[in-house]
């Protein structure tokens, strides 16, 4: 097993002023292809600390990914310290300098003098292309390890890691490089529940080339199948029976696959039938509408969103004048609101997600009652749920439940199936 280390640089990362999402992204992507991180080190913008970290990693790791420190400012030290650790000179890379000058010229800008620093690389470095930024990555050997230096800008790191670094790591590891990653996104089932439901699916491929994994990010769960083979056809053949079994066992709880999103699925379902949608939501800060309204094609589907906190304001906005805004929140309340919103806007579908939040301190036992309804011209479907876990847990759960119930309705699936997150 190849020993991999990740080194993240920057005072802002070390002090916690920003969340280090780059580390989680790198480690997740490595895990997806069957590689694992043995060590993680974080250092600030300090030359001696970075030098010690590079030398230590060069003694204990086979491969090291260094993130950050490739910019044009005085606190960007990765090139200089890498050259020092490798005991080579720092030299100007004329080809990358030309690339940077062209980068600025295409944007009708003059390259500042300090950007020239980004073309200064260790003499033995292999350039790793950055097609969308000015900081090139590079690779070189320090001690016993192959080091890969990457920019801190997330979108630049992502391209470099996926297109260039991971293939190099797989080749270095000697592992089969034909890999398929299949992802299923679900809502309503917890990680341990899904793990139990899918017990034994890996054994459908006896040679051990299929690996099952999970990534929980409430309110969704991502279930991953990583498949290795001799070539693409081999991996697809191995994957087919396993993905069929996953779909069978998780059933209606699968809301999308691979890069598809729940909101994208909902929008596509509505667009396919030339439908339109109005939304009414309370306590969510408009999060349901925000998930949908910005998507390509939403202008032809999305009609209107009512975002309010008080039920009386909701009634006034959808034209239910005279209705009582007091008493217990019920499914019938949500049904009346959804019908009124659809009627008022002329949409083919209306979704109402109404929340009655508990009073009191924001603790784990604080919850909310969610009543939601989906109305069309001829019928209405609704459900009631209760979720505990604090304000944000309730808000996120209500948003996901509303979109998922609409997805289920549009796909002719039961709007109600009990989920792991709700309290009876």
């Amino acid at each position: 097993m190849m020993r991999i280390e990740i080194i993240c640089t920057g005072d802002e990362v070390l002090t916690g002023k920003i969340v280090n999402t780059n580390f989680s992204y790198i480690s997740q992507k490595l895990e997806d292809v069957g590689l694992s991180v043995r060590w993680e080190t974080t250092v600030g913008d300090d030359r001696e600390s970075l030098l010690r970290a590079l030398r230590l990693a060069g003694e204990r790791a086979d491969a090291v990914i260094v993130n950050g420190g490739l910019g044009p400012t005085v606190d960007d030290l990765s090139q200089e310290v890498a050259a020092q650790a490798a005991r080579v000179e720092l030299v100007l890379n004329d080809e990358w300098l030309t690339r940077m000058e062209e980068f600025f010229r295409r944007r009708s800008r003059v390259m500042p003098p300090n950007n020239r620093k980004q073309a200064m690389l260790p003499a033995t470095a292999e350039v790793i292309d950055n097609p969308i930024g000015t900081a090139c990555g590079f690779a070189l050997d320090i001690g016993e390890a192959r080091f890969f230096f990457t920019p801190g800008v997330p979108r630049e790191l992502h391209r470099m890691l996926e297109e260039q670094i991971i293939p190099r790591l797989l080749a270095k590891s000697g592992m089969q490089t034909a890999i398929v990653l299949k992802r299923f996104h679900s809502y309503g089932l917890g990680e341990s529940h899904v793990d139990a439901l899918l017990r034994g699916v890996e054994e459908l491929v006896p040679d051990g080339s299929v690996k099952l994994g999970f990534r929980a990010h409430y309110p969704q769960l991502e279930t991953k199948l990583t498949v290795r083979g001799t070539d693409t056809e081999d991996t697809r053949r191995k994957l087919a029976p396993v993905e069929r079994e996953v779909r069978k066992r998780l059933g209606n709880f699968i809301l999308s696959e691979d890069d598809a999103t729940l909101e994208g699925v909902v929008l596509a379902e509505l667009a396919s039938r030339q439908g339109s949608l109005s939304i009414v939501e309370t306590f969510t800060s408009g999060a349901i509408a925000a998930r949908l309204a910005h998507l390509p094609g939403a202008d032809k589907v999305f009609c209107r969103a009512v975002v309010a906190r008080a039920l009386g304001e909701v009634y006034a906005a959808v034209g239910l004048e005279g209705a009582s805004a007091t008493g217990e929140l019920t499914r019938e309340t949500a049904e009346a609101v959804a019908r009124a919103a659809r009627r008022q806007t002329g949409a083919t579908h209306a979704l109402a997600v109404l929340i009655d939040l508990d009073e009191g301190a924001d603790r784990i036992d604080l919850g909310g009652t969610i009543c939601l309804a989906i109305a069309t011209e001829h019928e209405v479907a609704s459900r009631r749920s209760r979720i505990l876990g604090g304000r944000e847990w309730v808000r996120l759960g209500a948003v996901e439940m509303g979109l998922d119930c609409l997805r289920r309705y549009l796909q002719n699936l039961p709007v109600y199936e009990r989920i792991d997150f709700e309290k009876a």
Side-chain angles (χ1 to χ4, degrees):
M1 180 68 70
M2 186 163 62
R3 298 165 299 179
I4 299 176
E5 181 163 350
I6 298 175
I7 299 175
C8 298
T9 71
D11 287 342
E12 68 280 4
V13 175
L14 186 64
T15 59
K17 290 180 180 178
I18 66 167
V19 177
N20 189 2
T21 57
N22 281 353
F23 169 72
S24 60
Y25 184 86
I26 295 169
S27 57
Q28 185 69 43
K29 286 296 181 181
L30 293 179
E31 182 186 349
D32 286 345
V33 298
L35 299 170
S36 59
V37 178
R38 181 77 64 88
W39 300 280
E40 188 271 331
T41 303
T42 303
V43 297
D45 299 320
D46 170 59
R47 186 183 302 273
E48 290 305 315
S49 296
L50 179 55
L51 181 60
R52 284 195 300 271
L54 296 184
R55 286 177 172 167
L56 176 60
E59 294 172 359
R60 65 186 181 186
D62 299 310
V64 183
I65 299 173
V66 183
N67 183 239
L70 300 183
T73 58
V74 294
D75 57 346
D76 291 308
L77 303 171
S78 289
Q79 295 107 310
E80 297 173 39
V81 178
Q84 185 178 354
R87 294 182 171 85
V88 297
E89 295 295 320
L90 201 63
V91 298
L92 179 67
N93 186 294
D94 292 317
E95 182 178 350
W96 190 255
L97 178 63
T98 302
R99 281 276 300 274
M100 283 197 301
E101 291 170 341
E102 179 61 22
F103 179 93
F104 282 93
R105 187 161 42 248
R106 286 198 307 269
R107 290 158 178 78
S108 301
R109 296 166 56 193
V110 176
M111 188 181 83
N114 61 348
N115 277 94
R116 183 182 175 90
K117 176 176 179 287
Q118 294 179 287
M120 299 295 295
L121 301 177
T124 56
E126 170 198 6
V127 174
I128 299 178
D129 188 30
N130 180 353
I132 54 175
T134 60
C136 71
F138 62 92
L140 82 164
D141 295 327
I142 299 174
E144 301 300 316
R146 185 66 171 172
F147 280 69
F148 301 90
F149 289 80
T150 62
V153 179
R155 68 191 188 106
E156 297 177 17
L157 163 68
H158 296 178
R159 287 281 296 269
M160 197 176 290
L161 182 72
E162 295 173 26
E163 295 176 3
Q164 300 187 67
I165 295 175
I166 285 178
R168 286 170 166 85
L169 289 174
L170 289 172
K172 182 177 177 63
S173 71
M175 300 170 70
Q176 291 177 316
T177 55
I179 297 174
V180 170
L181 175 65
K182 180 67 184 178
R183 296 179 293 150
F184 300 89
H185 309 283
S186 60
Y187 166 69
L189 301 177
E191 185 174 1
S192 59
H193 190 172
V194 174
D195 183 53
L197 287 172
L198 298 182
R199 187 167 294 130
V201 295
E202 295 166 297
E203 297 166 13
L204 292 171
V205 181
D207 66 2
S209 57
V210 176
K211 179 184 176 185
L212 176 68
F214 304 99
R215 185 171 75 94
H217 49 109
Y218 179 81
Q220 288 190 16
L221 175 69
E222 181 180 86
T223 300
K224 303 177 295 181
L225 294 172
T226 305
V227 187
R228 295 184 175 280
T230 55
D231 52 35
T232 301
E233 184 178 346
D234 184 39
T235 56
R236 295 292 181 186
R237 178 181 55 79
K238 292 175 177 178
L239 175 63
V242 186
E243 66 176 325
R244 280 198 301 268
E245 190 64 18
V246 171
R247 291 193 189 100
K248 177 182 175 182
R249 297 189 192 185
L250 299 188
N252 300 335
F253 290 96
I254 296 175
L255 55 87
S256 67
E257 299 183 17
D258 299 319
D259 292 329
T261 62
L262 173 56
E263 53 269 30
V265 169
V266 167
L267 190 67
E269 291 284 353
L270 286 165
S272 70
R273 63 199 73 190
Q274 296 184 315
S276 53
L277 178 67
S278 290
I279 297 171
V280 181
E281 47 189 314
T282 64
F283 179 64
T284 61
S285 302
I288 299 175
R291 292 266 293 268
L292 285 162
H294 73 284
L295 297 177
D299 55 312
K300 298 177 181 177
V301 172
F302 189 76
C303 289
R304 182 192 183 199
V306 173
V307 180
R309 184 56 195 268
L311 196 54
E313 295 172 356
V314 170
Y315 286 162
V318 299
L320 285 175
E321 304 292 349
S324 174
T326 60
E328 182 184 3
L329 181 63
T330 65
R331 288 172 58 177
E332 289 74 21
T333 306
E335 290 173 1
V337 169
R339 286 194 186 100
R342 193 210 65 80
R343 191 167 51 244
Q344 187 183 64
T345 60
T348 61
H349 297 73
L351 170 66
V353 179
L354 310 179
I355 303 167
D356 185 10
L357 190 72
D358 294 350
E359 295 183 359
D362 188 10
R363 303 178 304 185
I364 195 168
D365 58 346
L366 182 120
T369 299
I370 303 163
C371 291
L372 65 86
I374 300 155
T376 65
E377 183 180 2
H378 302 294
E379 63 178 352
V380 62
S382 62
R383 71 164 293 180
R384 180 183 184 276
S385 181
R386 175 137 179 91
I387 294 179
L388 302 181
R391 296 172 65 91
E392 188 65 3
W393 194 270
V394 173
R395 186 184 74 84
L396 292 172
V399 170
E400 205 72 16
M401 183 181 293
L403 283 168
D404 191 52
C405 285
L406 180 55
R407 187 265 310 177
R408 287 169 169 265
Y409 182 86
L410 293 167
Q411 294 178 342
N412 296 314
L413 300 173
V415 168
Y416 174 77
E417 281 188 82
R418 180 162 177 79
I419 66 173
D420 290 343
F421 310 128
E422 63 185 332
K423 181 177 174 62

